[in-house]
Amino acid sequence: AYREILYSSLEEYERLARMINDMLYLAQADDGRLRPAAEPVELDEQVHALFDFFDAWAEEQGVTLVQEGQATASGDAAMLRRALSNLLSNAIRHTGQGGQVRVRLFSDAKWAYVRVENPGPILPAAQLERLFDRFYRAEGSRSRATGGSGLGLSICRNIVEAHGGAIEAGHSALGGLSVTVRLPA
């Protein structure tokens, strides 16, 4: 019984430590201390590496990961990887058994784009507008039990905006959520 209590306490400690680190990161962003590098970042390579990282969890959830296209952005690889990691983990977490998370990469002369799509409930426009707010959870199924603290998408927005880009949520061709990131090419 003591071991179970200790493991439960350890899990709660780790969750709180992640939340505190996320809040400190956001405080630095608010203070203007996020200064990304301006190096070429092969976004397709970043996504591929993250697919390798999330593969076992996605398989356990019965979720298929699909990557299409390629794009190169100008930025800080570590920061962009963190933003992409948050987007992918959210998509996997909220995709049901047998669903597919699709990451589409494309670019034009000025911008590199990453679109993460996953099936799920269609969110009303009012909820889509608030997805990037701190501690916001779109619907009742997004709770502490499903993981997360409601800070991941806010961190994504801060990272993308620090790079001079934009992020927006909309409805996916898969019948759920689509998040599109636009970054300087």
Side-chain angles (χ1 to χ4, degrees):
Y2 286 130
R3 283 188 183 131
E4 287 179 27
I5 291 170
L6 288 173
Y7 282 122
S8 176
S9 296
L10 180 61
E11 288 174 1
E12 184 66 10
Y13 165 76
E14 289 172 353
R15 186 187 71 77
L16 289 171
R18 280 190 306 272
M19 186 178 1
I20 290 167
N21 284 332
D22 288 346
M23 291 171 63
L24 287 171
Y25 191 86
L26 289 169
Q28 289 176 335
D30 288 347
D31 198 30
R33 288 196 250 162
L34 290 186
R35 290 188 173 80
E39 302 170 350
V41 179
E42 301 295 332
L43 296 173
D44 46 309
E45 291 176 9
Q46 296 295 323
V47 171
H48 182 74
L50 288 167
F51 275 17
D52 287 345
F53 179 77
F54 286 121
D55 187 52
W57 180 43
E59 187 175 318
E60 181 182 300
Q61 300 295 318
V63 173
T64 305
L65 303 175
V66 177
Q67 178 180 343
E68 301 172 357
Q70 60 185 30
T72 302
S74 175
D76 185 295
M79 290 173 72
L80 292 175
R81 186 178 176 124
R82 182 174 186 171
L84 294 171
S85 177
N86 286 348
L87 291 174
L88 279 172
S89 66
N90 272 358
I92 294 167
R93 185 179 299 117
H94 299 294
T95 297
Q97 181 86 17
Q100 179 185 89
V101 172
R102 181 171 44 196
V103 178
R104 295 183 54 226
L105 301 140
F106 53 100
S107 61
D108 58 29
K110 190 174 180 182
W111 300 103
Y113 298 89
V114 179
R115 180 169 295 140
V116 179
E117 299 176 295
N118 66 291
I122 302 296
L123 300 176
Q127 288 185 348
L128 286 175
E129 291 174 14
R130 296 199 56 214
L131 275 182
F132 301 101
D133 293 350
R134 293 176 191 175
F135 302 109
Y136 182 74
R137 293 191 177 99
E139 78 270 345
S141 69
R142 295 177 186 241
S143 66
R144 191 174 294 166
T146 61
S149 59
L151 293 173
L153 291 178
S154 182
I155 288 172
C156 289
R157 180 181 59 199
N158 279 291
I159 290 171
V160 170
E161 289 177 353
H163 281 80
I167 187 169
E168 66 179 14
H171 296 115
S172 165
L174 300 175
L177 184 66
S178 170
V179 176
T180 303
V181 173
R182 184 186 75 206
L183 297 162

